[in-house]
Amino acid sequence: MEYSELIFKIIFVIAVFAVSLLIAMYSTYAERKIAAFMQDRIGPDRAGPFGILQPLADGVKMFMKEEIIPSHADKALFILGPSLMMLTACMTGVVIPWGNSLLINGREYILQITDVNIGILYIFAVVSIGVYGIMIGGWASNNKYSLLGAIRASSQMISYELAMGMAIIALVMMTGTLSLREIVLQQHGAHWNVFYQPLGFLIFLVCAFAETNRTPFDLPECETELVGGYHTEYSSMKLGFYLFAEYINMFISSAVIATLYFGGFNMPFVSGLGLSHNTLAILGVVFFFAKIFFFIFLFMWVRWTIPRFRYDQLMNLGWKVMIPLSIVNVLLTGLVLLWRHGLFHF
Amino acid sequence: MQSLTNRSKVVVNKKMSFMEKLYLPEIAKGMMITLKHLFKKKVTIKYPEQKRPVAPVWRGWHVLKRDELGRENCTACGLCAVACPAEAITMTAAERKPGEENLYREEKYASVYEINMLRCIFCGLCEEACPKEAIFLTDRNVPVDLLRDDFIFGKDKLVEGIEPEKRIDVSVRARAHRQIES
Ligand code: SF4
Ligand code: SF4
């Protein structure tokens, strides 16, 4: 790798990191505003114009709070929990293709930190490690409610990861690659995967809600039953990390959904305009973020509309509906592929 | 029973239809409702800047009145404290010294008069009990504060100023009282 490329990568890594944090920060603000608007209120409006400094105020508040580690808690694990959560949340952004590529001085710089050829698998692996953040935190708190929340989180994630994986398998069968960049490039123009995999998209979307612990699947932190769920014993910035990680996860999930099913940085109707490569790339990034913001909005919209599932309903939905559906989806995709390749003779 | 609004619905425990069992159409319906609310007019009143209109006989922050000559009406009889259901009022009585006739109307006055605004329920019974028309509730809200001690209002916050422009008009409430009594 040459110097220029190395420097570009370093800048890009920092930029992606900063942008994820910034968006997660302002997601908390958006969440509160959207919640307020849907309930005919106006939400936070005191810190700065329209309350846009609210996330900063919240952050300062989190830092200033007293740091409590319960005496009966396992110290090392207690700290490891939120750190792991935050680490995995930030790690997933690495393989997302944020844009096409920039041509600078005749060299091509890909707008993606690294184009691993097993991108989807990488995301799955990292997200699965994220469960440990919740489990370790809940276990280390040495508190019944935390432990129950952690157990719920892990069983929920395991159940929904299966269906999610199956939805991805159908997609991969179609695209024939695991590299996210390849998948996006295949969806050029408006050939978005959602049109070919509508059922798979629905399954993936529902599972994404479950994976990020958002309503209607927010049982791990179900306040009405479990006090605060897995983070009951947490305070100060460690609690902040848990809450913040949820928002980063939401951002990344939105990015993954947009990448896999909604064509990533592709946009319809612009290839004919004759714009230069760089302009197109930048437009693509903007368009990609518009899609991401839409999905973040969707996450919040759903959260403030439907109530939480009961635990048995959650398991029923996961095992008796989602998994059979995803298997059917895989079978259908297989049949269609075979038919397309002319391997069927009726 | 007649319902108060036309929005009440009778609950029936019927089986869900197939469409309802699919969840998604119903969820979409619900989401449309929340989406509509997103653009509805907001009911919030931004309090310190905007105030909700209140009735002219609103019962808020008390005032201890002075008479036309600027003398305090209160004679520290303690009837208001006895009448107070929340036991919010305490006072210490003192005797008027020669030369203080321009300050206090009666020979006995309250040297300390405190209302605990956190205990007060703004019922207005103190006002009703007062034989001297000394205490009135006004349409001012008790301002917010950070410490509990700061909500114990002494004479500095209760007695109105001597100057004509610092007088607080309680004529509406006073008239209402006279009507009730007569
Ligand atoms: S308004 Fe009622 S509660 Fe308040 S001080 Fe007067 S009598 Fe007591
Ligand atoms: S305010 Fe009225 S009732 Fe209360 S002590 Fe003074 S004169 Fe008596």
Side-chain angles (χ1 to χ4, degrees), chain A residues 94-111:
Chain A
V94 168
V95 287
I96 308 263
W98 301 101
N100 202 343
S101 54
L102 286 178
L103 289 174
I104 304 171
N105 292 339
R107 287 187 60 100
E108 195 179 17
Y109 297 98
I110 299 174
L111 287 178

Side-chain angles (χ1 to χ4, degrees), chain A residues 220-327:
Chain A
E221 41 192 309
C222 166
E223 300 90 353
T224 37
E225 295 160 25
L226 295 179
V227 190
Y230 58 90
H231 53 56
T232 305
E233 295 284 357
Y234 280 88
S235 58
S236 181
M237 209 49 209
K238 289 207 280 299
L239 173 66
F241 270 9
Y242 268 128
L243 301 183
F244 207 60
E246 182 185 324
Y247 284 96
I248 303 181
N249 276 336
M250 202 163 81
F251 168 57
I252 298 293
S253 319
S254 306
V256 171
I257 295 173
T259 309
L260 292 180
Y261 290 98
F262 281 81
F265 50 76
N266 285 307
M267 54 210 135
F269 321 121
V270 287
S271 48
L273 291 182
L275 297 167
S276 77
H277 184 81
N278 282 356
T279 337
L280 268 181
I282 289 167
L283 255 182
V285 175
V286 172
F287 206 65
F288 185 46
F289 272 91
K291 288 175 192 171
I292 293 176
F293 290 148
F294 171 76
F295 281 106
I296 292 181
F297 174 72
L298 186 75
F299 269 94
M300 293 174 181
W301 186 6
V302 168
R303 167 158 184 194
W304 296 105
T305 303
I306 28 187
R308 154 188 320 129
F309 276 106
R310 220 168 48 211
Y311 197 64
D312 58 322
Q313 291 171 331
L314 173 93
M315 282 298 154
N316 264 345
L317 184 70
W319 291 96
K320 293 197 193 153
V321 180
M322 282 311 181
I323 293 179
L325 260 187
S326 53
I327 293 174

Side-chain angles (χ1 to χ4, degrees), chain B residues 62 84-86 88-89 115 120-126 137:
Chain B
H62 313 61
C84 177
I89 304 179
I115 301 181
C120 176
I121 54 172
F122 301 97
C123 60
L125 286 182
C126 44
L137 275 68

Side-chain angles (χ1 to χ4, degrees), chain B residues 4 7-8 34 40-41 48 52 55 57-58 61 65 74 78 103-105 107 119-120 123 125 127 150 162 169 177 179:
Chain B
L4 292 174
R7 285 181 297 188
S8 62
T34 38
K40 272 208 181 138
K41 199 172 163 296
R52 203 183 270 276
V57 287
W58 170 265
W61 191 352
K65 292 294 290 178
C74 176
L103 290 177
Y104 312 111
R105 198 171 67 183
E107 284 128 51
R119 297 200 64 151
C120 176
C123 60
L125 286 182
E127 188 183 278
D150 294 341
I162 294 182
D169 180 30
H177 265 291
Q179 267 170 17

Side-chain angles (χ1 to χ4, degrees), chain A residues 37-38 40-41 46 301 305, chain B residues 31 34 37 42-43 49:
Chain A
F37 270 67
M38 286 185 173
D40 295 344
R41 300 180 285 118
R46 296 284 135 168
W301 186 6
T305 303
Chain B
M31 285 170 73
T34 38
H37 277 270
K42 306 299 166 221
V43 293
E49 297 100 49

